[in-house]
Each structure stands twice: as structure tokens, then as C-alpha cells.
């Protein structure tokens, strides 16, 4: 396999906290993939969760090389698998686009410290 793209994002949680305070559940509905909404509903730190989701989506579209052109925030998400490993999930529309681009594997990594979150996305052909 060869690397198609890599995206890295560092984000202050306070930035997302301001947006969430201003737009509330409308922001949540626009940002989260349907599978992320279930995890958000039980999150102990909802703003931190939103910040991680936002950072991961930004890292993904950087790796894709398009920014959010043709990709909605709710087209891409991250869910936790067994043992907490994060894994990307995609809408059917984005799955089709990745197939056209011959992207076969995706990788994601998350980190947070204090008021900052970091995300890395790698796409492989």
C-alpha cells in the first residue's frame, strides 16, 4: 500500500466551546456523524468530545487534500472499537468517493492534553 495523504490538526478545546455555546445542539447536529451522536450522548465531557470529533474531521479532509469541498462534517466520523481504538466511519456517499480514489485503508490517532486536542489521519491506496 502507498500513502495517499496525511493530515494533522492541533485544536484548542476553548474554540469549540465558544462555538457550542453560541450554536448549541444545531452545531452538534451539523458536526456529528450519526454513529458519533450515540457516543456524544453518553460522553462525560461533551465539549471535549466535540473538539476531538472536529479535529479528526479536519485531519481527514487534509489527508484527502480537498478540505471540506464536497465533504460534509457528518460524512465522516470516528467511533471507538474494542479497547478504545478510534476508527473512521463514513457516509455511503463518502465511501463511494473513497472507492473512486482507490483509498483502501484509513488510520486515525487522537491525543489530548489540557485544553488542546490533536488528531492525525492517514489514507492509503
Amino acid at each position: 500500500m502507498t500513502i495517499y495523504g496525511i493530515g494533522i490538526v492541533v485544536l484548542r478545546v476553548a474554540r469549540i466551546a465558544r462555538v457550542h455555546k453560541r450554536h448549541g445542539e444545531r452545531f452538534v447536529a451539523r458536526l456529528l456523524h450519526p454513529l458519533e451522536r450515540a457516543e456524544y450522548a453518553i460522553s462525560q465531557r461533551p465539549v471535549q468530545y466535540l473538539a476531538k470529533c472536529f479535529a479528526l474531521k479536519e485531519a481527514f479532509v487534509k489527508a484527502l487534500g480537498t478540505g471540506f469541498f464536497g465533504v460534509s462534517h457528518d460524512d465522516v466520523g470516528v467511533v471507538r472499537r474494542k479497547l478504545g481504538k478510534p476508527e473512521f466511519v463514513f457516509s455511503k456517499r463518502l465511501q463511494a468517493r473513497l472507492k473512486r480514489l482507490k483509498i483502501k485503508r484509513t488510520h486515525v490517532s487522537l491525543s489530548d492534553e489540557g485544553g488542546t486536542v490533536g488528531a492525525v489521519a492517514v489514507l492509503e491506496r
Side-chain angles (χ1 to χ4, degrees), residues 33-49:
H33 181 279
L35 294 176
E36 289 175 314
R37 290 182 189 134
E39 290 187 14
Y40 170 74
I42 60 171
S43 174
Q44 298 293 317
R45 298 183 303 168
V47 173
Q48 182 90 2
Y49 181 82

Side-chain angles (χ1 to χ4, degrees), residues 1-40:
M1 300 252 178
T2 61
I3 293 177
Y4 178 84
I6 300 171
I8 301 170
V9 172
V10 176
L11 175 71
R12 288 191 178 104
V13 175
R15 175 179 166 207
I16 298 304
R18 286 190 301 273
V19 174
H20 184 251
K21 184 177 180 180
R22 186 174 36 233
H23 299 288
E25 289 305 307
R26 197 171 64 129
F27 171 64
V28 172
R30 288 187 57 136
L31 175 67
L32 298 182
H33 181 279
L35 294 176
E36 289 175 314
R37 290 182 189 134
E39 290 187 14
Y40 170 74

